[in-house]
Amino acid sequence: CQALSNLLHDQVSFPNSSIYQQEEASYFSAQQSTVSPLCRVTPLTAKDASTTIIAIRKYKCPFAVKSGGHAPFAGASNVQGGITIDLSALKSIKVSSDKKTTEVGAGNRWGEVYSVLDQIGLSVVGGRVAGIGVGGLTLGGGVSFFSGRNGFACDNVRNYQVIFADGSINNVNPNSFPDLFWALRGGGNNFGLVTRFDLATFPQGPMWGGVKLYSFDKAPQIMSGFLDFVQRAPTNPDASLINIAGYNKPAGIFYMLEAMENAKPEAEPDIFSAFRPIETLSSTMRITNLSNIVHELEGVGALGLRQSVWTFTTRASGPLINTILSSWQTEIGPLKDTVSSFNPIMAFQSFTKNMVLNSPHLFGPNTFNLDPAKAPYVFYAVTMEWSDPSDDGRVLAAAKRIVDNGVAESNRLGLSEKYLYMNYAWIDQNVFAGYGGSNVDRLVKVHKKYDSAGVFTVLQPGYFKLPN
């Protein structure tokens, strides 16, 4: 830390300084904020980030890298007793003259990106919540409102600016480093420090979107509507849907929430027709811009509570998703009145057939090994928020049971899938096991080629690591 302070001066902050404390408080979860690095480095340029990696390798310091800091578990993007590299100053957003590419610094959050692009009628494939960081979402895959026609966010990166383990700054694209380019499309933080993403850019004007709130007794109709959307998604690749079950502790009620979006300024497209007869408690649906929608969805979660997110994936089936919803409600029951500040949410979403088919549209297959013949898939986010550390054991055990029950039922029906969406996974889950053996072997080979010293796996222990 002292060596870096001598080189980078004010870019290095120490405990008890205001910058250090502000950056520590900027994580989404309380578990991450309670991790205490010896110092935090906030590079202003890629060269500063390179200097940091060179020093870390020289002194063999444990480190972590933070883009938006949304991963919930301790150590994901913060490190105890080491160096945390905070990318929050890498805020460049630059549109190319032909308007087909936007260079986005890894310290941006998606709301910041969209606020710039909305003004000039453009957009990119990125996150659906304003506060999510560009870096983590994209390296883990990235599901977008535009995924139905463009695939994952990682499928739409034209070039990565990457700090290699030796400190060199490189442009990684299909021509320069094709093997590493492929690995970065879903391989997480195992290969280098990405300081900029050059994103495929397209025209995008006003769109229809918002949320509809329903009483929980409408759940059977809503789950049927969700399945209808999933199965008919290829008829409207501009549409997306997040189907959420939740419990509102202050009101003492379960509820259903649908986040519906259409990338065109057309209200109530036919793809959502199954929801029309269902009575809503409230609705915010309107024609607006993307920035407005992603800021609205930021209100679904709460900043600063203890957090846990788990995931699993199945094939699409009405009986299965209804059983999984019932299992979730059963597990929440004993906790809802006794866990402080409890906010449990379960999101049902789909890797639709059109999304899986369109993923390779620019650069070929990514690392995920999703099979269009098996699509549509349903993937689940079991999210828990609470405030008291003494409740950790009960809450985490319930979350694991929800996942285990869902996997067991999908196995019983022959509808289970091994793929786990990295951005929704808990630290105890084996994400890379779901990528398929040949893809994992290929990822390990790429890692050994570009980081034989293990800078980004051994010295950077946080988040999901490739097998040794």
Side-chain angles (χ1 to χ4, degrees), residues 307-324:
Q307 311 273 347
S308 176
V309 184
W310 302 62
T311 193
F312 61 104
T313 307
T314 71
R315 304 279 289 278
S317 159
L320 176 58
I321 61 175
N322 280 294
T323 298
I324 289 170

Side-chain angles (χ1 to χ4, degrees), residues 157-162 170-182 184 196 198 363:
V157 182
R158 297 190 187 278
N159 178 77
Y160 302 82
Q161 183 186 71
V162 186
N170 299 273
N171 285 308
V172 176
N173 54 60
N175 297 318
S176 61
F177 300 94
D179 53 353
L180 180 57
F181 180 78
W182 171 80
L184 289 170
R196 196 188 74 226
D198 299 348
F363 303 111

Side-chain angles (χ1 to χ4, degrees), residues 93-112:
I93 301 173
K94 181 181 178 182
V95 180
S96 64
S97 58
D98 63 5
K99 298 184 178 181
K100 292 184 179 180
T101 305
T102 303
E103 296 180 2
V104 178
N108 281 290
R109 297 173 187 245
W110 288 108
E112 296 168 319

Side-chain angles (χ1 to χ4, degrees), residues 139 162-165 180 184 188-194 451 456 460:
L139 291 173
V162 186
I163 314 299
F164 284 8
L180 180 57
L184 289 170
N189 66 359
N190 290 278
F191 307 96
L193 172 53
V194 181
D451 183 20
F456 294 101
Q460 184 187 20

